[in-house]
Structure formats: structure tokens, C-alpha cells
Amino acid sequence: MGLLECCARCLIGAPFASLVATGLCFFGVALFCGCGHEALTGTEQLIETYFSKNYQDYEFLIDVIHGFQYFIYGTAAFFFLYGALLLAEGFYTTGAVRQIFGDYRTTICGKGLSATVTGGPKGRGARGPQRAHSWQRVCHCLGKWLGHPDKFVGITYVLTIIWLLVFACSAVPVYIYFNTWTTCQSIANPTKTSASIGTLCADARMYGVLPWNAFPGKVCGSNLLSICKTSEFQMTFHLFIAAFVGAAATLVSLLTFIIAATYNFAVLKLMGRGTKF
């Protein structure tokens, strides 16, 4: 079997669901972590500049923001590694499922690779089998880790539950900034509201961002409108929206991983192959 034919078989047996899920996972995590990190930095600057002049009022908030930023670093590293592992699991289990149904009789690390490596000139025939044996040993070791789709389903299910909480938390700052932006629209168009402009405020203390004894803690009227027109506010608002979209994309990718891995595991169990193949 030639190299091109082996690659063609690999593409035929590619786990497209896992490929789509991996792409969504990488895109979502990059968007969530990158935009979330910058949005938290922008929030810190807005609080320091407009809502409190006393460092002790927002000292705890800064510690929380820095903690979330470190959490973002760890989340990015973990999901990029786990996404690659799930993609490898998708290739491995999809190859086994296709082999059962007869659509993919040559596995990625099986006869096709051996034939490609050993089919060289006679002068290099002595080294061919040794290379094939080395590749097969690597694939055998990977198979011990990747041959358990039931474990991947369980781990991904737990991660999905955890990420649902992250997704819900990412909606909170979007809600706060949207309320502030809506208040600014009411100030900019006083004819659309019956309230006095001076009573329209954005109170950071109301959302738990600052303690109740923080001063001033809130900004009202034309001062709030001027804040909403700044590039810092607009950029931070849109960054939080992008982070929320990234969290949603990551959640969809995890659900896709669960569906694909569950299907492969169910087929293997129904065909009597168990969890090891």
C-alpha cells in the first residue's frame, strides 16, 4: 500500500464530529480566555478611575480579578491539551467502529503503516521491519490510553457540568454592562423615560462589585453618560460579549464530544468489542 493510499484511508476514516468539536473547542477557549482576560483588566481600570478613589474599597476585587486571570491561564492550557487528546480518541475509536462495519479495514497504525515502511529497496530492508515495529509499539501504547471511550465520556460529562457554571458566570458581567449601557441610552434620550436624568445611576455596590461603604460607589446622570462614551467602556463591554460567545462555543464542543464518544462506545459495546480494542 502506498503512502497516498494510506493517507486517503486515514481521511476516509477521519472522525468529522471530533474534528468539528476540536475546532470549536480551540476557538471557544481562545476567545473566552483572551477576551475574558482583557475584559477583566478593563473592568479593574474602570472601577479605579470612576467608581472608587480608595484602594481598600476595591482591593478584594483586584485579588478576585487576578485569581480569575490565573484560572484563565490554567483553563487555556488544560482545554488545548484535552481537546487534542479527545481528537486522538476520536480517530482511534472511529477507526475501530469503521473496521467493525467494514468501511475502514486498515487501521491508522496497522497494516497500512507497516506496508509503507517495509516496502523500500532491498538495501534498506533490514531497517524496515525494525521501524515498523517501533511505530506499532508507539501505537500500542497510545491504544492503552485511548482504548477507553467510556472513561472519556465520563470525564467530558463532568467537564460539561463544570463548564455550564463557567458559562453562567460569564453571562453575569454581560448583564451588568448591558444594564449600564441601557441606563446610558435612557440618559442620552430623556424623552423616552419619565425618570429624572440625575436619578439614573450605575451602582457597582448593587452587584457586589464594591462594598456598600465604598465612596462614591455609583455614577449618575451626565457623568455616567460620559463614561459610556469612553473607549474603555465600549471595549470592555464588547470583550465580555466575545468571552460569553467563546464560553458558548466551548460548551457546544463539549456536548459534541459527548455525543460522538457515546456513539462510538455504544457501537463497540453492542458489537461485543467491550471498551478495549
Side-chain angles (χ1 to χ4, degrees):
M1 180 182 295
L3 180 61
L4 293 178
E5 187 177 355
C6 181
C7 292
R9 285 182 177 272
C10 290
L11 290 176
I12 292 173
F16 294 105
S18 295
L19 287 172
V20 172
T22 303
L24 270 177
C25 182
F26 288 170
F27 169 77
V29 169
L31 197 62
F32 172 79
C33 294
C35 295
H37 182 277
E38 294 302 317
L40 289 173
T41 302
T43 300
E44 180 181 344
Q45 293 175 353
L46 287 172
I47 292 294
E48 292 177 351
T49 305
Y50 301 106
F51 287 89
S52 180
K53 302 300 182 181
N54 187 2
Y55 176 75
Q56 294 179 350
D57 292 339
Y58 54 86
E59 181 179 6
F60 177 73
L61 174 65
I62 292 179
D63 292 337
V64 172
I65 288 177
H66 291 170
F68 270 111
Q69 288 177 334
Y70 284 116
F71 168 77
I72 285 174
Y73 299 147
T75 300
F78 172 79
F79 270 95
F80 277 105
L81 178 61
Y82 191 69
L85 192 62
L86 284 176
L87 180 60
E89 169 67 17
F91 270 102
Y92 195 88
T93 54
T94 301
V97 170
R98 290 181 181 272
Q99 186 181 6
I100 291 173
F101 288 110
D103 297 329
Y104 188 53
R105 296 185 181 278
T106 304
T107 59
I108 296 175
C109 298
K111 296 180 180 178
L113 182 59
S114 300
T116 303
V117 176
T118 57
K122 293 182 179 180
R124 289 185 285 179
R127 299 179 61 183
Q130 185 176 359
R131 284 186 189 173
H133 180 66
S134 299
W135 273 106
Q136 288 179 1
R137 288 183 62 185
V138 172
C139 292
H140 179 68
C141 293
L142 287 175
K144 289 184 177 180
W145 289 93
L146 302 178
H148 301 275
D150 54 331
K151 295 181 180 179
F152 279 92
V153 171
I155 295 173
T156 309
Y157 181 82
V158 173
L159 284 176
T160 303
I161 298 299
I162 296 174
W163 196 256
L164 276 172
L165 299 177
V166 176
F167 175 72
C169 291
S170 66
V172 173
V174 176
Y175 171 76
I176 295 174
Y177 274 87
F178 179 76
N179 280 348
T180 304
W181 178 81
T182 303
T183 305
C184 288
Q185 295 303 308
S186 300
I187 297 173
N189 300 281
T191 57
K192 296 183 179 181
T193 178
S194 59
S196 174
I197 293 178
T199 60
L200 297 176
C201 305
D203 194 343
R205 300 169 299 180
M206 182 176 63
Y207 301 106
V209 177
L210 292 175
W212 282 107
N213 59 354
F215 181 82
K218 66 178 181 179
V219 181
C220 304
S222 58
N223 292 330
L224 178 60
L225 182 60
S226 63
I227 293 175
C228 292
K229 291 181 178 179
T230 60
S231 59
E232 291 85 0
F233 178 87
Q234 295 291 333
M235 180 62 69
T236 304
F237 184 25
H238 288 89
L239 284 173
F240 271 123
I241 294 175
F244 177 74
V245 173
T250 306
L251 181 61
V252 172
S253 71
L254 290 174
L255 293 174
T256 307
F257 274 131
I258 289 177
I259 294 172
T262 303
Y263 170 79
N264 289 333
F265 172 67
V267 170
L268 294 174
K269 290 291 288 185
L270 290 174
M271 299 302 295
R273 299 294 293 271
T275 58
K276 295 182 180 180
F277 43 86

